[in-house]
Amino acid sequence: MNPEFVRTICPYCGTGCGVILRVEGGAVVGTYPDKGHPVSRGTLCIKGWTAHEFIHNPDRLTTPLLRRGDRFAEIPWDEAISLAAEKLAALAERYGGDAVGGLCSAKCTNEENYLFQKLMRTAFRTNNVDHCARLCHAPTAAGMAQTTGSGAMTNSIGDLAGAECILIVGSNAAESHPIIMGEIYKGADRGASLIVVDPRRTTVARNADIHLRINPGTDIPLLCGMMRHIVDAGLHDRVFIQERMDGFAEFKAFLDTWPVEKASRECGIGADEIRRVAEIYRQAKDAAIVYCMGITQHACGTANVQAICDLAMLCGHIGKAHSGVYPLRGQNNVQGSCDMGGLPNVYPGYQNVSDPAVQEKFQKAWGRELSPRPGLTVTEMIGAAGKEIRALYIMAENPAVSDPDVRHVLEGLAKLDFLIVQDIFLTETARCAHLVLPAACFAEKTGTYTNTERRFQLLCKAVDPPGEAKGDFEILCLLAKALGLDFSYRHPSEVMEEIAALAPAYGGISFDRLTPAGLQWPCPEPGHPGTPFLHEHTFTRGRGLFVVPSYTPPYEKPDEEFPYYLSTGRMFAHYHTGTMTRRSPFLNRELAEPYAEINPEDARGAGIVAGDRIRITSRRGTIVTTARITDWVDKGCIFAPFHFTEARANILTNPVVDPICKIPEFKVCAVKMEKERHEKQER
């Protein structure tokens, strides 16, 4: 039998690489790079090359499951859908619609996320809709929307290769976004200055021209010190500021409170080095700032993003090619799930639920009365479980591993009257559910993803889902019908037509227009070519705004009882909660077990050698993992990847949140460690 080759999109990080799936006998047997793809250009990372390995894993869910006591029993689809609708409707009737909450998914398509939030808002008249963007790039949406008017990457990935200076802050792109790192390396090979700001000596930092090893959580002092020097030296772009910016006088007065010497003391970088880096960034013809969760996952994450935008605007390094601000999205469709209204305060296209005109527009389109009250975030829903929140509907999210203070999450899920989890595997969260619905993976559905550079791309079905599993699109339509809604969509392209009609930024996007090159929003009308970079002549908000960033030091600092900083992050071979990558034989051979990085001096002081089992404890719990001794972490710091359920790093992390966007402070918490005397694992 001749193989079939299906062009589609990688299901892992937000880069949005093009892949070609080899199909034989109804099964995906290989993954190859798409040489004509505008982002990946015939390259893939180790995860992309092995994207087919989890598809036909025997652990895949194949039938609906209903909890009966401590076990699950298989039930038919009609019973599962009827039960889901009856339970949700009954709880909404008894406690009000806001007693129901929903988590949509950064791993599902734009069309599926659109249907999910529409279902929640129309069936239950609630805005309790959120997803994992709350835990990664909510500060990007909030911070960039305030400064520039658009909470998304300003430029295209390929622009990085042409920059003269690339400032990377809080991102280990070589492991989390390798294809984007390839564009950065192209820029470095052409002579670009590569400056990395990170407390950890990452792969990216080791290849940098300059590595600023700041104290954890002190990005704002560093950035303010740089900006203070730029203004003091008269290097700021006066013309750009006068013609395109507001708020400079107030911002300059704020910078007066951050002399370079003060910034130096706070962040741990020499004053002269701060001045040198500031001048390199400013004096480059084109300069880019790349950041990721090392910036956003702090209690001042939104302020961190505002400071990054302030720096770019102060120097006029925005609104043109090869410059700008590059937030690297972590999951394949986290940009799209935000764009589609998978947030508690906005409809699709970031249209505010509290705006009467917007509300009226969506009420007319959807034929239902809608709530003007912003809903709860994911962490708020978990905290309200069993009280204000009586039921949760979770689509392809795994908060039992990804959320902070995991013990608290598990306690919250256990308090719910009804929990529905829709996923491809029986995840740690699905094991807590009353009802589990088996869904299709990326290779088994059609729709669109939006990558980190705002590019809508077509996802193409290659094979059927296993057993009785169904696509999320079909499941949502069945549930909506059971709840009395008219979701009579025959194909995801019809949903895209509805999105384009309601969200002006996507008005020109349709399935018919999505060639392999895709389209970057804003694409406001049919025939529009898309937008490779934003803010060329004017900012989305009109004039740009300098925002004074409010610096909050880490809430937990090392003390006598908990003498170390802990930070968490990703590793090259695994992705998010490990649901897919840990079922890849090749990736598991690359990295099979959890570990923690410890500085050699700290290890000697604790009597720990490489390979020892160690207990790491915070104020919230304990994990047991394996010691890896390395100078990648500074003295007094520990790093642990969060992919591993048997050593869930998020048992330890601090649930304190940013006051603006409610993202938890994953990147910094205080811990203690000791050599494990017994091989007993605490979970």
Side-chain angles (χ1 to χ4, degrees):
M1 182 180 294
N2 292 328
E4 180 185 1
F5 296 92
V6 179
R7 172 181 269 161
T8 191
I9 305 300
C10 180
Y12 288 123
C13 80
T15 306
C17 296
V19 298
I20 297 174
L21 302 179
R22 182 186 178 107
V23 181
E24 295 182 9
V28 182
V29 298
T31 307
Y32 306 102
D34 183 347
K35 293 183 179 179
H37 193 269
V39 176
S40 48
R41 303 176 187 177
T43 60
L44 290 175
C45 75
I46 188 174
K47 292 188 288 291
W49 275 105
T50 58
H52 62 284
E53 291 196 344
F54 73 86
I55 296 172
H56 305 294
N57 187 283
D59 292 344
R60 285 290 302 274
L61 293 169
T62 58
T63 58
L65 301 175
L66 177 64
R67 177 173 297 283
R68 289 180 175 152
D70 294 332
R71 301 192 176 193
F72 286 108
E74 296 182 357
I75 61 172
W77 266 107
D78 57 351
E79 182 180 339
I81 293 296
S82 295
L83 178 65
E86 290 168 7
K87 288 283 190 179
L88 293 175
L91 289 168
E93 177 70 22
R94 181 176 179 182
Y95 297 104
D98 281 337
V100 179
L103 303 184
C104 56
S105 176
K107 292 182 281 294
C108 292
T109 66
N110 288 319
E111 296 73 27
E112 290 161 348
N113 280 289
Y114 175 86
L115 291 182
F116 188 97
Q117 60 84 36
K118 180 179 178 180
L119 184 152
M120 295 296 299
R121 288 177 161 127
T122 55
F124 308 113
R125 198 171 178 263
T126 184
N127 290 312
N128 291 337
V129 181
D130 206 6
H131 69 295
C132 68
R134 183 67 48 198
L135 311 178
C136 58
H137 273 290
T140 292
M144 293 188 73
Q146 190 173 7
T147 54
T148 69
S150 181
M153 184 184 285
T154 63
N155 288 55
S156 300
I157 293 167
D159 272 7
L160 289 165
E164 288 187 6
C165 175
I166 303 172
L167 174 62
I168 304 178
V169 190
S171 169
N172 185 13
E175 299 199 42
S176 60
H177 298 85
I179 303 306
I180 294 178
M181 194 66 210
E183 296 300 311
I184 293 172
Y185 284 143
K186 287 179 186 176
D189 288 344
R190 293 170 180 167
S193 298
L194 181 56
I195 303 166
V196 172
V197 180
D198 202 308
R200 185 165 164 258
R201 189 168 173 259
T202 62
T203 303
V204 178
R206 289 185 298 140
N207 287 283
D209 297 305
I210 300 172
H211 176 202
L212 303 181
R213 201 165 187 171
I214 63 169
N215 296 327
T218 61
D219 302 278
I220 286 176
L222 172 68
L223 294 166
C224 287
M226 291 173 62
M227 290 187 282
R228 172 65 185 269
H229 174 66
I230 288 167
V231 172
D232 283 352
L235 297 175
H236 50 298
D237 191 331
R238 290 181 173 85
V239 174
F240 184 90
I241 293 168
Q242 181 177 354
E243 293 181 351
R244 300 194 55 184
M245 297 299 303
D246 289 332
F248 179 66
E250 297 85 349
F251 186 70
K252 184 176 181 296
F254 160 74
L255 290 180
D256 288 343
T257 68
W258 278 105
V260 179
E261 289 73 16
K262 175 184 173 182
S264 172
R265 290 191 298 272
E266 187 74 15
C267 70
I269 303 299
D272 288 343
E273 189 74 342
I274 293 175
R275 294 185 180 98
R276 180 166 78 103
V277 166
E279 291 181 12
I280 292 171
Y281 173 79
R282 169 60 186 106
Q283 292 174 349
K285 177 177 178 289
D286 300 302
I289 305 177
V290 176
Y291 73 87
C292 199
M293 285 175 277
I295 278 290
T296 60
Q297 288 182 332
H298 292 275
C300 58
T302 303
N304 285 345
V305 173
Q306 291 166 345
I308 282 174
C309 294
D310 288 335
L311 175 60
M313 296 184 297
L314 185 71
C315 299
H317 286 324
I318 196 166
K320 57 182 181 177
H322 312 301
S323 293
V325 177
Y326 297 70
L328 303 187
R329 298 288 189 166
Q331 295 198 55
N332 55 315
N333 200 35
V334 71
Q335 180 66 57
S337 49
C338 293
D339 296 346
M340 294 301 111
L343 300 168
N345 61 325
V346 291
Y347 295 120
Y350 304 96
Q351 300 172 83
N352 200 304
V353 300
S354 301
D355 185 322
V358 170
Q359 184 187 13
E360 183 179 356
K361 178 175 78 169
F362 279 90
Q363 285 182 159
K364 183 178 180 180
W366 291 346
R368 292 274 177 144
E369 185 179 359
L370 302 173
S371 172
R373 296 184 304 277
L376 301 180
T377 66
V378 55
T379 51
E380 290 171 335
M381 283 188 256
I382 295 294
K387 296 173 287 188
E388 295 88 352
I389 296 292
R390 313 299 300 198
L392 269 180
Y393 178 19
I394 299 177
M395 180 175 73
E397 294 275 294
N398 194 12
V401 176
S402 62
D403 285 24
D405 193 1
V406 162
R407 290 181 186 277
H408 171 69
V409 174
L410 296 173
E411 290 169 359
L413 296 178
K415 293 176 183 176
L416 291 166
D417 292 13
F418 199 61
L419 172 60
I420 304 170
V421 175
Q422 186 169 305
D423 216 316
I424 63 175
F425 292 107
L426 193 67
T427 64
E428 292 79 2
T429 303
R431 293 189 189 108
C432 302
H434 299 95
L435 179 65
V436 179
L437 303 178
C441 77
F442 83 106
E444 300 154 355
K445 62 174 71 173
T446 297
T448 60
Y449 289 155
T450 306
N451 77 342
T452 193
E453 61 176 0
R454 301 170 280 103
R455 188 183 299 269
F456 272 79
Q457 302 190 93
L458 195 60
L459 185 74
C460 297
K461 181 177 178 179
V463 292
D464 291 327
E468 298 177 25
K470 297 180 183 292
D472 299 277
F473 173 89
E474 183 179 358
I475 298 170
L476 289 163
C477 287
L478 288 171
L479 181 57
K481 182 179 180 181
L483 288 165
L485 301 175
D486 181 21
F487 277 29
S488 55
Y489 306 99
R490 294 165 297 177
H491 190 270
S493 60
E494 296 177 344
V495 180
M496 187 66 242
E497 290 175 6
E498 185 171 315
I499 295 165
L502 289 171
Y506 325 128
I509 296 173
S510 66
F511 274 41
D512 291 341
R513 291 196 66 200
L514 291 179
T515 66
L519 285 167
Q520 289 171 272
W521 67 259
C523 181
E525 57 191 13
H528 190 282
T531 308
F533 63 90
L534 301 175
H535 318 306
E536 182 174 8
H537 301 295
T538 183
F539 285 98
T540 304
R541 68 182 305 277
R543 289 175 65 85
L545 178 66
F546 285 112
V547 176
V548 172
S550 178
Y551 172 52
T552 303
Y555 272 79
E556 283 190 355
K557 293 188 176 182
D559 55 24
E560 188 173 342
E561 183 180 3
F562 298 97
Y564 303 99
Y565 274 122
L566 173 79
S567 187
T568 67
R570 301 184 179 194
M571 303 311 298
F572 75 100
H574 288 300
Y575 167 78
H576 208 232
T577 63
T579 303
M580 298 184 293
T581 54
R582 297 200 70 199
R583 289 177 169 89
S584 162
F586 184 88
L587 295 177
N588 261 341
R589 286 196 297 271
E590 289 292 315
L591 188 59
E593 297 179 351
Y595 63 89
E597 294 177 357
I598 304 167
N599 182 271
E601 191 173 339
D602 291 330
R604 283 193 297 270
I608 294 170
V609 299
D612 277 351
R613 299 285 286 170
I614 58 171
R615 297 171 66 85
I616 304 176
T617 302
S618 76
R619 291 176 172 85
R620 289 154 293 279
T622 298
I623 65 171
V624 177
T625 188
T626 301
R628 186 178 282 189
I629 313 303
T630 175
D631 66 356
W632 282 36
V633 289
D634 212 347
K635 186 178 183 298
C637 295
I638 299 171
F639 172 86
F642 72 97
H643 312 292
F644 300 91
T645 185
E646 62 269 41
R648 300 184 203 182
N650 282 322
I651 287 175
L652 308 173
T653 49
N654 192 346
V656 65
V657 296
D658 177 300
I660 297 173
C661 67
K662 310 296 177 66
I663 190 170
E665 190 158 72
F666 287 102
K667 289 302 179 189
V668 189
C669 72
V671 298
K672 61 184 176 182
M673 70 171 174
E674 59 186 340
K675 188 172 181 178
E676 170 73 343
R677 304 300 176 184
H678 304 284
E679 291 296 319
K680 182 178 180 181
Q681 168 78 42
E682 280 195 35
R683 295 199 174 188

